[in-house]
Amino acid sequence: MVKVYEKHNGMLFGNGATFMRQPLVNDPTSSDADVVVLGLPFDMATSGRSGARMGPDAMRRASVNLAWEETRYPWPFTLNDHCTVIDAGDLVFAPGDSEGFTQQVEDAATQLLEQGKSLLSFGGDHFVTLPLLRAHAKRFGKMALVHFDAHTDTYANGSQYDHGTMFYHAPNEGLIDKNSSVQVGIRTNYTQAEHGFKVIDGAESNALSAHTIAEMIKHSVGKLPVYLTFDIDALDPAFAPGTGTPVCGGLTTDKALNILRELKGLNIVGMDVVEVAPAYDNSEITALAGATIALEMLHLWTYKHKLGN
């Protein structure tokens, strides 16, 4: 029999339809997976350049470049030995129906969480985090948000479906404790007194060590369950040009990865990577950054929840 598709970690091309070549499972609730990858190809809430709806596909294809390594540097364990990951594909929804999409995300995430799965979600624009937070709060209660971004997304003057308003609504809905939450890489205008989150802004993020930043985050979140969200525009456009609202002065990819690795031990209960817009990318470097950050998140989750650290 000719094997048209076979997982082969040594091959850097072809068959990149799922994240890290993990199995595609159409009914993830009945699987034995620890973590479910879910694509949310929605970008109707963008205020800048659209195109993030193509982000999930781009990150999956870029992840082929990571699958060969098996034991991911510098982690001391092989992910697949300790964590079962499946890819549930993309959420299917009626294009143009923002209200319906929002409810579908919340319902799908709620169902998966009720079955004991954890979620790694791929946007799509950053608005997708709001219905994800609603689902996670049902299971875990009020959470701390650890948020990498160039923008605070706490603006009160946006529309109902707006990728700049999620973290205005989330604390008002009781989903997150903004006094325990941290935003890293912010380099657009905000007023700390009105905004309320702890901010490690772009200049600080570049000046401080990864270890120091991680210790500041750990001190803020304390023992709360953590939702980890990474807007790819937290990275400088030199490292992530493929996004809708790029802002100069951001993190390097190396700095972001080192901060994430220093967050070992946090009780991360949900995670997403958003705002990859491949139409503006160059040589797939943004998609590869997004896929690599997502893989680091899986290692963080496994380190805490499967290895007991």
Side-chain angles (χ1 to χ4, degrees):
M1 178 183 294
V2 176
K3 294 183 178 180
V4 177
Y5 179 84
E6 181 179 18
K7 183 177 178 181
H8 192 293
N9 287 339
M11 193 171 75
L12 298 182
F13 56 91
N15 293 325
T18 64
F19 184 65
M20 297 294 296
R21 291 202 179 98
Q22 298 301 320
L24 178 65
V25 177
N26 292 324
D27 182 14
T29 56
S30 62
S31 77
D32 62 354
D34 299 307
V35 181
V36 177
V37 175
L38 179 63
L40 302 172
F42 174 87
D43 61 8
M44 290 185 63
T46 52
S47 57
R49 306 181 298 192
S50 62
R53 68 183 65 185
M54 308 306 294
D57 179 67
M59 284 188 279
R60 288 183 173 110
R61 294 188 179 279
S63 75
V64 173
N65 295 282
L66 305 170
W68 66 273
E69 193 176 8
E70 298 212 0
T71 301
R72 167 73 181 161
Y73 173 85
W75 292 94
F77 62 90
T78 300
L79 183 69
N80 289 337
D81 289 347
H82 301 281
C83 180
T84 302
V85 181
I86 62 170
D87 194 327
D90 292 338
L91 185 75
V92 177
F93 59 95
D97 183 4
S98 297
E99 182 178 3
F101 167 81
T102 304
Q103 191 61 53
Q104 280 184 254
V105 173
E106 183 179 345
D107 292 345
T110 297
Q111 187 176 11
L112 288 166
L113 293 169
E114 286 176 345
Q115 295 299 316
K117 317 300 181 191
S118 291
L119 272 172
L120 169 60
S121 303
F122 293 163
D125 69 48
H126 211 160
F127 174 78
V128 304
T129 302
L130 182 57
L132 289 168
L133 285 173
R134 289 169 177 159
H136 283 79
K138 293 177 189 176
R139 179 164 178 81
F140 300 106
K142 186 178 289 188
M143 299 166 287
L145 183 76
V146 176
H147 171 206
F148 290 78
D149 207 323
H151 314 84
T152 65
D153 297 335
T154 57
Y155 313 114
N157 58 348
S159 64
Q160 184 176 2
Y161 305 103
D162 187 318
H163 72 161
T165 63
M166 304 83 59
F167 308 131
Y168 168 77
H169 294 297
N172 290 338
E173 293 180 20
L175 310 178
I176 60 174
D177 178 3
K178 65 182 179 181
N179 295 316
S180 300
S181 298
V182 185
Q183 299 181 315
V184 181
I186 305 301
R187 52 195 185 278
T188 48
N189 193 41
Y190 69 95
T191 303
Q192 184 70 56
E194 299 175 357
H195 160 275
F197 291 78
K198 177 168 181 57
V199 171
I200 306 170
D201 66 28
E204 289 180 289
S205 298
N206 285 318
L208 297 174
S209 70
H211 177 75
T212 297
I213 293 169
E215 289 301 306
M216 293 167 71
I217 292 170
K218 290 177 179 179
H219 177 75
S220 290
V221 304
K223 299 296 185 181
L224 284 178
V226 172
Y227 190 96
L228 176 59
T229 181
F230 199 109
D231 186 325
I232 206 68
D233 71 27
L235 302 180
D236 190 88
F239 301 91
T243 190
T245 50
V247 182
C248 289
L251 297 166
T252 68
T253 310
D254 179 67
K255 186 65 168 286
L257 294 175
N258 280 305
I259 296 169
L260 289 172
R261 290 166 188 156
E262 290 282 349
L263 295 179
K264 296 189 298 290
L266 282 190
N267 181 23
I268 297 170
V269 296
M271 45 205 166
D272 65 53
V273 181
V274 298
E275 297 282 356
V276 171
Y280 313 106
D281 208 357
N282 181 33
S283 300
E284 299 182 337
I285 61 173
T286 311
L288 179 60
T292 305
I293 287 162
L295 184 56
E296 294 297 320
M297 289 180 174
L298 286 175
H299 282 80
L300 278 174
W301 186 93
T302 302
Y303 185 85
K304 173 67 176 179
H305 295 284
K306 303 299 284 187
L307 300 181
N309 293 300

